[in-house]
Amino acid sequence: MVIDTSAINRRNHALADDDEVWLFGYGSLIFKADFPYLERRGAHIQGWARRFWQGSHDHRGTPESPGRVVTLTAAPGQHCHGVAYRIRGAVFAHLDHREKNGYLRLDTTLHLTGGETVAGLLYVATADNPAFLGPAPAADIARQIAAAHGPSGANLDYLLDLAAALRALGTRDTHIEQLLAELSAGV
Ligand code: SIN
């Protein structure tokens, strides 16, 4: 199901005139920075876990054969590692379009590598959005990712690029490592 959350995001936070905003990226925003930024830092957020639970009908799949991309699920006590971008408010016009298939901007606290804490935003696709696919056995998720392709490329490349980017940041994600193990086992 292709939806468009960009108008909701514009209404909730009118950012176009803001000089600088911190954005937390935990998925493709880590490995595909197709937008200008003032600064990029390693960072984590608390109380969330990354999961391949969001359907992608517009980037890494099609309406007929959706792929799976990451979103966040509440996970008290856990950390999710990613990157923090310091960007101009005007950049959100591009980002809202890119993340329009179900992602809403939420306020968050970013813990920057080095110890500084800053307020910012992230994009999350919650369970009530029509493109949400939710949990499934790791083998089923891996099989779906291996099969899906969309206008932004193979769904498998999204998974592999994200895994490589997280390793480059010095972190590993058990959910992602589990999917890679399923793929190695030949799902
Ligand atoms: C993000 O990267 O922070 C959001 C999800 C995605 O675009 O993959």
Side-chain angles (χ1 to χ4, degrees):
M1 156 102 47
V2 180
I3 52 170
D4 190 344
T5 47
S6 53
I8 304 172
N9 280 323
R10 270 198 307 277
R11 201 170 54 236
N12 288 353
H13 301 93
L15 294 167
D17 296 333
D18 286 30
D19 266 358
E20 294 182 9
V21 183
W22 282 100
L23 170 70
F24 181 73
Y26 57 90
S28 68
L29 291 175
I30 301 180
F31 64 82
K32 187 179 175 192
D34 61 351
F35 52 89
Y37 55 85
L38 305 166
E39 189 179 350
R40 182 185 193 271
R41 302 265 297 268
H44 74 268
I45 52 169
Q46 296 180 345
W48 294 97
R50 177 178 16 238
R51 293 286 181 271
F52 271 84
W53 288 359
Q54 176 68 359
S56 179
H57 309 75
D58 57 345
H59 282 298
R60 300 291 177 158
T62 60
E64 297 72 37
S65 177
R68 276 183 178 257
V69 290
V70 289
T71 183
L72 296 170
T73 189
Q78 291 192 39
H79 291 181
C80 176
H81 291 269
V83 291
Y85 294 101
R86 189 162 56 85
I87 59 177
R88 300 276 183 220
V91 176
F92 280 95
H94 166 73
L95 292 171
D96 286 350
H97 180 74
R98 169 174 161 169
E99 303 294 326
K100 68 182 186 314
N101 195 32
Y103 290 86
L104 292 173
R105 291 195 230 121
L106 284 194
D107 293 308
T108 192
T109 300
L110 290 76
H111 301 267
L112 306 180
T113 304
E116 204 183 333
T117 295
V118 295
L121 296 171
L122 54 74
Y123 285 93
V124 63
T126 51
D128 55 0
N129 87 85
F132 189 77
L133 296 176
D140 292 353
I141 294 180
R143 207 173 293 116
Q144 184 173 356
I145 290 172
H149 297 259
S152 298
N155 202 176
L156 182 59
D157 287 340
Y158 176 108
L159 170 62
L160 297 178
D161 289 350
L162 179 54
L166 289 172
R167 285 178 191 161
L169 286 168
T171 183
R172 281 179 185 241
D173 180 305
T174 50
H175 173 66
I176 289 178
E177 297 298 328
Q178 202 183 4
L179 296 177
L180 294 176
E182 292 292 347
L183 287 165
S184 300
V187 289

